Amino acid sequence: MNIPFTKYTLDNGLDVLIHEDHSLPIVAVNVWYHVGSKNEVPGRTGFAHLFEHLMFEGSQHYDRGYFHPLQEAGAALNGSTNADRTNYWEVVPTNALDLALWMESDRMGYLLPALTEAKFSNQRDVVLNERRQNYENRPYGLAGMAIVSALYPPDHPYHWLTIGAAEDIRAAHLDDVKAFFQRYYHPANASLTLAGDVDADMGILLADEYFSEVPAGEKPAPLTLAAPAPPRDVKLVLEDRVELPRLYMAWHSPALFAADDAELDLVAEVLASGKTSRLYRALVYEQRIATEVAASQNSRELGSFFQIVATAAPGRTLAEVERAIVKEIAALLDRGPTAPEMERCLAQAEAHFLFRLQTVGGFGGKSDQLNAYNVFLGDPAYFGRDLDRYRNATADQLRAAAIKYLQPSARVVLSVVPRGRVALALPGSAPVAVS
């Protein structure tokens, strides 16, 4: 199982990947920039996400909203930013491929001449409003900030969320973000994938026609950081406008594609994916002490974190929830996954890979996948080996990874409780303030 492709690198350093799929008359245009919130510094957070917005505000040769001409041609389009990368994509009818490439190349090469103080101020306000809606005023919305700020020291680039700190966004100046763009948003730090109804030779010719005149820029040096010290059973409490208390447990875990990354992804499946998973069965179905439970290996380029989240059922306590989670983890560390659990979680992992092959574009489609492997590993052909990380994982390896990383002495435990009811937190929790 793989995603066939042709790779070509333009003289300015832009990697071009072409995947042919002529089953439908559509083409996905997908651009990744190897920049995310990890490339920011304390006091200057939120820039990468702010630029995701600014890139839709027009460039020198089309100084208007980015959506309208493409949607008028029948395109779907969007973009996103996380800690490690920023991506933009369009899925267009084949006859609109030139339009999509022209617009992508114009904002890559000629965004700054059209970036005005008015646009900047407007999008800064939009981002601040997005922050209020998705974090400050959303139940449990600040929990993620409390978790990463406890897991990572203040100078570590994973200490903050991609949305950034409100005071940093308010303090940002136009010259600051222009300098950020010049450093990271250029061909030498980008990867372009065309997937769909396009011949490889024609795709490369079109990429060269539209992108070759964009100056290369200087490729940023990779970030190298010492691994942060593991937390020592840190217990925190956050008061929020919520009805039910919720418990978060988090541990440091291996980086994206590193040894034990896939194994911990499968451990998360065993623990909390589906109604037959250990935590769901114990906490929600049998003991009825939680209304929901989830587990995830949050894979990142410089280092990841494993997290379990459970919401207490009405009338039940976080202490009960914690005891039940600890008991189930201890059982997993003691005996490892069963054969039926391995069969189930491996089937789910394979299904996740197959889902990514269903579409040529959008978030998680074939074009997105090729760019991910190219940007993070320099190897777009990694799909099959990525799948093999899961297929070849054994029950003993999952148990060993869980023993290595999910120790009670190396975790952050956050109790999110209704305002004014700190007594509902786990005993010994220290108040945490995030905003």
Side-chain angles (χ1 to χ4, degrees), residues 129-146:
N129 192 48
E130 179 181 337
R131 194 181 191 281
R132 284 188 285 270
Q133 287 183 335
N134 294 338
Y135 298 90
E136 298 167 26
N137 296 325
R138 171 171 290 186
Y140 312 104
L142 296 174
M145 294 182 192

Side-chain angles (χ1 to χ4, degrees), residues 7-30:
K7 181 175 180 178
Y8 182 82
T9 302
L10 302 185
D11 290 342
N12 59 13
L14 178 65
D15 283 342
V16 180
L17 306 169
I18 312 292
H19 166 70
E20 293 190 38
D21 180 347
H22 299 282
S23 55
L24 291 171
I26 57 173
V27 183
V29 177
N30 192 300

Side-chain angles (χ1 to χ4, degrees), residues 367-380:
S367 54
D368 218 26
Q369 205 63 48
L370 286 170
N371 266 341
Y373 295 135
N374 191 48
V375 167
F376 291 139
L377 298 170
D379 183 5

Side-chain angles (χ1 to χ4, degrees), residues 66-85:
Y66 194 84
F67 283 84
H68 177 70
L70 286 161
Q71 289 178 328
E72 199 169 54
L77 63 155
N78 211 330
S80 68
T81 312
N82 65 26
D84 298 318
R85 63 95 183 108

Side-chain angles (χ1 to χ4, degrees), residues 43-299:
R44 293 288 186 274
T45 64
F47 281 20
H49 175 249
L50 177 58
F51 250 106
E52 178 201 321
H53 283 247
L54 293 170
M55 293 279 272
F56 287 103
E57 293 304 300
S59 47
Q60 183 176 0
H61 303 105
Y62 185 80
D63 194 6
R64 281 167 284 175
Y66 194 84
F67 283 84
H68 177 70
L70 286 161
Q71 289 178 328
E72 199 169 54
L77 63 155
N78 211 330
S80 68
T81 312
N82 65 26
D84 298 318
R85 63 95 183 108
T86 303
N87 77 339
Y88 299 94
W89 57 264
E90 300 87 21
V91 178
V92 298
T94 305
N95 61 7
L97 176 57
D98 283 85
L99 173 64
L101 291 172
W102 182 84
M103 294 196 67
E104 280 290 1
S105 64
D106 204 55
R107 67 178 173 181
M108 181 186 288
Y110 306 100
L111 183 83
L112 293 187
L115 181 54
T116 63
E117 185 70 41
K119 286 182 186 176
F120 171 70
S121 298
N122 175 266
Q123 288 306 307
R124 183 172 55 189
D125 290 344
V126 170
V127 169
L128 286 168
N129 192 48
E130 179 181 337
R131 194 181 191 281
R132 284 188 285 270
Q133 287 183 335
N134 294 338
Y135 298 90
E136 298 167 26
N137 296 325
R138 171 171 290 186
Y140 312 104
L142 296 174
M145 294 182 192
I147 288 290
V148 296
S149 64
L151 282 171
Y152 300 101
D155 59 347
H156 192 286
Y158 291 158
H159 181 76
W160 51 88
L161 295 186
T162 299
I163 191 69
E167 60 270 26
D168 293 350
I169 300 169
R170 291 191 192 97
H173 295 287
L174 184 57
D175 288 344
D176 296 330
V177 296
K178 282 184 175 179
F180 192 78
F181 178 88
Q182 289 169 329
R183 185 172 184 186
Y184 293 111
Y185 297 80
H186 51 71
N189 199 41
S191 179
L192 166 69
T193 294
L194 307 181
D197 186 25
V198 57
D199 295 330
D201 290 344
M202 178 56 69
I204 292 169
L205 283 174
L206 289 171
D208 185 68
E209 177 181 349
Y210 289 107
F211 288 89
S212 61
E213 71 176 63
V214 180
E218 184 177 347
K219 192 173 182 64
L223 288 177
T224 54
L225 297 168
R232 298 204 175 275
D233 196 19
V234 176
K235 289 188 176 70
L236 303 170
V237 56
L238 174 67
E239 296 181 67
D240 197 1
R241 286 178 291 185
V242 297
E243 291 291 327
L244 296 172
R246 179 178 285 179
L247 194 68
Y248 293 76
M249 290 185 182
W251 297 259
H252 285 155
S253 58
L256 176 67
F257 301 123
D260 290 334
D261 172 48
E263 284 77 6
L264 285 173
D265 209 7
L266 293 172
V267 167
E269 292 276 352
V270 171
L271 285 174
S273 178
K275 294 185 177 179
T276 60
S277 64
R278 293 188 181 208
L279 290 177
Y280 185 92
R281 191 176 62 243
L283 276 69
V284 179
Y285 182 71
E286 293 175 353
Q287 302 174 44
R288 304 193 177 188
I289 58 176
T291 60
E292 57 187 343
V293 62
S296 58
Q297 158 70 350
N298 299 284
S299 300

